[in-house]
Amino acid sequence: QVQLVESGGGSVQAGGSLRLSCVASGHTSSNYWMGWFRQTPGKEREWVAAILIGGRATHHADSVKGRFTISQDNAKSTLYLEMNSLKPEDTAMYYCASTAGYSVLTRVSVPDNYQYWGQGTQVTVSS
């Protein structure tokens, strides 16, 4: 069973930085997508970024491009989200997610395409 555990959230002032981590365990496939999503109360889950584990492809949502960077450390089985120049509108619960395997047809921005989810870590940005 795949397990994902996020950490690194917290409170920061606008313009500040945070780095989120997601430790993954239980994957049996060597290629799969991992992504970061965020959600605020009453709104749908929003895709932030995705990375192909076992490959080099990365994708970032336009709203975070140039400010956030997704990366992986295979030796530590850890996914990261480096967040810089944070804005109040980045305030949300951030979730790590993973697919079970890899398909070229996977739309990485669609939450339903991910089979495994972490419990979330809260990020609060004050103005």
Side-chain angles (χ1 to χ4, degrees), residues 31-94:
N31 297 93
Y32 49 92
W33 290 99
M34 290 196 74
W36 288 99
F37 290 78
R38 64 187 182 187
Q39 189 170 24
T40 54
K43 293 189 176 182
E44 292 187 352
R45 197 161 289 190
E46 177 191 10
W47 171 67
V48 175
I51 188 168
L52 176 61
I53 305 299
R56 297 186 177 183
T58 61
H59 304 282
H60 297 80
D62 288 343
S63 59
V64 305
K65 202 169 289 184
R67 300 188 300 122
F68 292 9
T69 303
I70 190 170
S71 64
Q72 57 176 302
D73 184 333
N74 288 334
K76 297 181 179 179
S77 298
T78 302
L79 178 74
Y80 299 103
L81 184 68
E82 188 74 36
M83 305 186 296
N84 299 313
S85 303
L86 282 161
K87 305 175 181 180
E89 51 264 43
D90 294 319
T91 294
M93 183 72 79
Y94 282 71

Side-chain angles (χ1 to χ4, degrees), residues 102-123:
Y102 169 74
S103 169
V104 69
L105 300 176
T106 299
R107 293 178 60 193
V108 297
S109 62
V110 177
D112 286 347
N113 288 336
Y114 292 79
Q115 287 73 48
Y116 306 105
W117 292 85
Q119 81 288 351
T121 185
Q122 178 68 37
V123 171

